[in-house]
Amino acid sequence: IDAMTGVGIWSATFDRDMEDILKVQGEIAMKVTEQLKVALFDTELVAKTIDMNAYKLYIQAGQMTVENSAESNTNAIKLLKQSIAIDSTYAPAWADLSYLYYQAGYTLLTMPDELAMQQGRLAAKKAIALDSESVLGYISLAFLENAAWNFEEANSLLENALVLEPNNPRAITAKAEFAVYCGKPELAIDLALKLIELDPLNNNHYLMLSQNYWMNGNYKKAEESLREYLLYHPNSGWGNGMMGTVQLSLGNPENSLEYIEKDNHLFWRAYKICPTVFAMGNIEEANQLLEDFIAEWGDQERPFVADVYAFRKDKDEAFKWLELAYENKDSSLLRVLNYPAMQNLWGDPRWNTFIHKLKLPEEHGFHLD
């Protein structure tokens, strides 16, 4: 039936014996599929085939990524490599592998950025070579190009994906991420809400929504979204660490510390505990924690060092580390510029100078005095 007009497109009556119902079901499915080719698409539908053992590994990898941790990401990469070793012609496996490399290098920090970029690009391009309409391949490559500050290329790749599948959840996730990189967390909130509407069973969307609310200064709604996420993933290090951040913004550093200590990721815990202990008034301990954090992570995660100094209202050190991040084109710089502590730098003439230096699109949403 044409849903717009109510006109019948195709119908048939099947009169069969009920001796072998599975055989009848298979016959009906085949007949309907054949008619779909002609009546709806006017083309032949080509199914993507894959070795069943390879497909099982692919599915297992997908289930593992739901955990959203460094360990699950590493194990999922291993499973996808095993899947591809059995059957290297399945584009979705290559596309997912590319996205996992992106996460490993730029979010979970289990792989050097350079290696993640190299391996991720190869996997995404392989997916696109196998399937020119590989939406996930275009999206994964877009994430990687965005992390490398190739913003025009990233947006072009994302547009390719959105033309093919405008409601693809990962494409909308990328669009929300790119909005944040352009200083528009309010747009990212709208897109996260759309994701929840389109894909309500994926609780990770609530985690993303909470981060966007937090960057936009709506800490109560960030807390509400996180509670929805933690209801289903109470042991999530990522979720608990984010709740610690939100509690700190709500003025509850003691509560913040309890949540942060549940985050088993070395970097994120070390970063988030620095401002929390400072807010509790333990200055000497906070200074030592910051010193240790810089010694361990300062050469890799400069924007986050800048954020800690901005939280402490040490403008000179904050701008120093922002400049270092810009000089090294750190992938997380534009995201961190949305963090609430950055507001402590507003009003300083160095802020406008720095934002203009980034050469962002004219319609960017970053604050200018």
Side-chain angles (χ1 to χ4, degrees):
I1 305 295
D2 185 326
M4 297 298 292
T5 64
V7 175
I9 297 175
W10 175 80
S11 65
T13 300
F14 293 87
D15 184 5
R16 302 288 188 275
D17 294 332
M18 295 293 287
E19 294 176 0
D20 189 348
I21 188 61
L22 293 178
K23 184 176 180 181
V24 174
Q25 288 178 339
E27 181 187 352
I28 293 173
M30 182 63 70
K31 293 291 185 182
V32 171
T33 301
E34 288 174 355
Q35 290 301 317
L36 283 173
K37 294 177 189 176
V38 177
L40 294 185
F41 299 106
D42 194 27
T43 185
E44 184 177 355
L45 297 178
V46 180
K48 295 181 175 65
T49 58
I50 181 175
D51 179 276
M52 285 309 299
N53 290 324
Y55 187 69
K56 181 179 179 181
L57 291 164
Y58 168 75
I59 293 297
Q60 288 175 339
Q63 289 296 315
M64 192 163 288
T65 58
V66 174
E67 296 178 23
N68 205 23
S69 69
E71 183 180 5
S72 65
N73 179 277
T74 300
N75 290 332
I77 287 175
K78 290 178 182 177
L79 289 172
L80 283 176
K81 284 183 174 180
Q82 293 172 21
S83 174
I84 289 168
I86 297 171
D87 188 341
S88 63
T89 65
Y90 193 58
W94 286 102
D96 281 1
L97 180 61
S98 174
Y99 186 66
L100 290 177
Y101 277 132
Y102 164 75
Q103 288 190 310
Y106 298 100
T107 304
L108 299 168
L109 312 179
T110 57
M111 181 182 293
D113 291 356
E114 297 83 0
L115 182 60
M117 177 65 71
Q118 178 190 38
Q119 297 298 320
R121 276 178 172 157
L122 286 173
K125 290 180 178 179
K126 179 68 174 179
I128 295 168
L130 288 167
D131 179 4
S132 62
E133 295 187 354
S134 174
V135 173
L136 297 182
Y138 286 119
I139 296 168
S140 297
L141 191 54
F143 270 117
L144 289 159
E145 296 299 347
N146 193 67
W149 287 52
N150 299 326
F151 303 123
E152 289 187 10
E153 177 67 14
N155 281 310
S156 176
L157 289 163
L158 180 57
E159 285 304 314
N160 287 347
L162 288 168
V163 167
L164 291 167
E165 291 185 25
N167 287 327
N168 182 286
R170 197 179 292 179
I172 297 172
T173 298
K175 192 172 181 178
E177 284 292 301
F178 292 5
V180 169
Y181 270 64
C182 208
K184 297 181 177 181
E186 66 283 353
L187 173 58
I189 289 170
D190 292 340
L191 290 166
L193 290 170
K194 181 178 180 180
L195 274 173
I196 291 170
E197 183 181 341
L198 290 171
D199 191 14
L201 297 181
N202 188 338
N203 300 305
N204 285 329
H205 299 328
Y206 286 99
L207 181 59
M208 177 183 173
L209 178 61
S210 71
Q211 293 171 326
N212 295 331
Y213 274 136
W214 174 73
M215 284 186 283
N216 205 42
N218 197 329
Y219 307 135
K220 272 297 180 183
K221 284 196 173 181
E223 182 183 35
E224 290 171 9
S225 300
L226 269 175
R227 293 205 185 283
E228 184 72 24
Y229 173 77
L230 289 171
L231 181 65
Y232 298 96
H233 304 282
N235 298 318
S236 166
W238 190 266
N240 279 289
M242 187 63 210
M243 181 62 89
T245 296
V246 171
Q247 290 301 314
L248 181 61
S249 295
L250 285 168
N252 306 318
E254 288 78 11
N255 289 350
S256 172
L257 190 60
E258 289 181 20
Y259 282 105
I260 290 170
E261 287 176 343
K262 297 177 184 178
D263 189 345
N264 56 8
H265 194 290
L266 294 178
F267 166 76
W268 292 110
R269 184 169 57 187
Y271 155 60
K272 293 181 178 185
I273 206 169
C274 287
T276 300
V277 172
F278 183 83
M280 293 171 68
N282 303 331
I283 307 304
E284 186 175 341
E285 182 184 356
N287 289 341
Q288 185 60 56
L289 286 168
L290 178 54
E291 185 179 323
D292 294 343
F293 177 66
I294 292 172
E296 181 69 23
W297 302 99
D299 289 340
Q300 306 169 54
E301 305 299 333
R302 302 169 191 86
F304 296 98
V305 178
D307 181 62
V308 175
Y309 276 119
F311 183 89
R312 294 163 65 117
K313 299 183 180 178
D314 187 336
K315 295 183 181 181
D316 290 342
E317 285 295 319
F319 278 112
K320 167 191 164 184
W321 284 92
L322 285 177
E323 291 290 349
L324 287 170
Y326 171 73
E327 290 169 11
N328 288 275
K329 293 293 188 289
D330 286 358
S331 61
S332 54
L333 173 58
L334 297 181
R335 183 176 186 82
V336 171
L337 287 175
N338 293 278
Y339 287 9
M342 289 290 126
Q343 295 181 26
N344 292 332
L345 306 182
W346 296 358
D348 188 299
R350 289 173 289 186
W351 176 262
N352 276 21
T353 300
F354 186 76
I355 296 299
H356 287 309
K357 182 189 296 188
L358 299 174
K359 294 183 171 58
L360 296 165
E362 289 186 9
E363 67 274 14
H364 75 79
F366 288 109
H367 170 81
L368 286 171
D369 296 324

